[in-house]
């Protein structure tokens, strides 16, 4: 990471490492917490609910990111547990999150997931709908969008997708860019990532195969 930040000429800018602990139990995550790492990601609400309330009680400085799809019926749990939700991807969930944050009197940072490859099986707002969706969130729903997030198609050059996400963010005056995983985080940093989401390069290969 440090080399990539340096090579990109971004010295002095901070890039957050979101350590993705999905499928790994507390015993695998604890060493990272003990070493002082504070930013973590999970992609399933239910799995996160089973391990993070205890870990957060022990390590109150943790900033937990939801990086997987969110169903409306899990929004209350998600708002209660996560500090950043990176996967806002439709008006309905944006409205439910707005309501839940008000009800729980809790402010969660929100990113919009953009389906940069327009893949039918992938969640996210289409690039062509992103400006309008961000405007809807800001002006109509009354939530602030702090970042954009993407997961590029597996079989395409990620740089094209990172460049597109950066362009969309700039155009909408959005500061945070969550892009890049174990295999392509250096490229993401070169294209302006403020958050990279890295799992297997930290915790090892996952035995359970999930999205
Ligand atoms: C699992 C996951 C990651 C981390 O993937 P690695 O290849 O293990 O680094 C990043 N982002 C999302 C959305 C994920 O689900």
């Amino acid at each position: 990471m440090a080399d990539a930040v340096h090579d990109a000429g971004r010295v002095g800018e901070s890039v957050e490492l979101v350590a993705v602990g999905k499928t790994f139990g507390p015993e695998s995550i604890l060493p990272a917490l003990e070493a002082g790492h504070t930013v973590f990601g999970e992609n399933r609400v239910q799995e996160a609910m089973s391990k993070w309330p205890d870990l957060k009680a022990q390590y109150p400085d943790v900033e937990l990111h939801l990086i997987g799809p969110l169903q409306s019926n899990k929004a209350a749990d998600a708002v209660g547990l996560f500090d950043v939700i990176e996967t806002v991807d439709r008006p309905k969930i944006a409205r439910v999150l707005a309501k839940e944050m008000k009800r729980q009197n809790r402010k969660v940072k929100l990113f919009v997931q953009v389906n940069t490859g327009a893949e039918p099986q992938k969640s996210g707002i289409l690039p062509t709908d992103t400006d309008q969706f961000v405007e809807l969130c800001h002006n109509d729903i009354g939530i602030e969008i702090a970042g954009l997030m993407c997961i590029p198609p597996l079989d395409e050059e990620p740089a094209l997708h990172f460049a597109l996400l950066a362009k969309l963010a700039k155009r909408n005056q959005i500061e945070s860019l969550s892009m890049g995983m174990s295999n392509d985080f250096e490229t993401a940093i070169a294209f302006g990532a403020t958050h990279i989401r890295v799992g297997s390069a930290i915790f090892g290969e996952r035995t359970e195969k999930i999205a």
Side-chain angles (χ1 to χ4, degrees), residues 20 22 43 67 149 151 181-182 197-201 206 211:
V20 178
K22 66 185 182 197
N43 81 332
I67 61 169
M149 174 273 212
I151 310 169
M181 321 204 303
S182 292
R197 310 177 308 267
V198 177
S200 47
R206 288 177 292 274

Side-chain angles (χ1 to χ4, degrees), residues 21-162:
K22 66 185 182 197
T23 77
F24 290 97
E27 70 289 348
S28 302
I29 295 170
L30 271 167
L33 286 162
E34 277 160 18
H37 195 71
T38 54
V39 186
F40 290 85
E42 290 287 341
N43 81 332
R44 289 200 281 207
V45 177
Q46 207 161 340
E47 182 188 344
M49 289 294 287
S50 75
K51 58 188 177 193
W52 280 101
D54 284 353
L55 292 172
K56 276 188 127 189
Q58 287 177 66
Y59 294 90
D61 291 341
V62 160
E63 179 183 285
L64 191 62
H65 290 232
L66 178 63
I67 61 169
L70 177 59
Q71 306 302 323
S72 302
N73 62 2
K74 300 261 169 61
D77 284 344
V79 166
L81 181 66
F82 289 94
D83 304 287
V84 182
I85 294 175
E86 297 198 9
T87 50
V88 180
D89 63 357
R90 56 199 190 279
K92 184 182 174 199
I93 202 72
R95 289 185 204 281
V96 172
L97 287 171
K99 207 168 110 194
E100 257 326 302
M101 289 193 292
K102 196 173 264 180
R103 196 179 67 82
Q104 298 187 31
N105 191 23
R106 201 178 131 73
K107 198 160 188 289
V108 176
K109 221 178 225 192
L110 302 175
F111 293 6
V112 167
Q113 180 174 356
V114 181
N115 186 356
T116 55
E119 295 172 280
Q121 82 285 8
K122 207 167 264 174
S123 28
I125 296 282
L126 290 173
T128 46
D129 296 340
T130 301
D131 297 355
Q132 201 188 359
F133 181 64
V134 169
E135 193 189 300
L136 177 85
C137 288
H138 286 165
N139 297 343
D140 194 38
I141 303 177
I143 53 176
E144 189 193 334
I145 300 303
L148 299 182
M149 174 273 212
C150 76
I151 310 169
L154 281 174
D155 55 354
E156 287 181 29
E157 178 51 60
L160 300 173
H161 296 271
F162 298 154

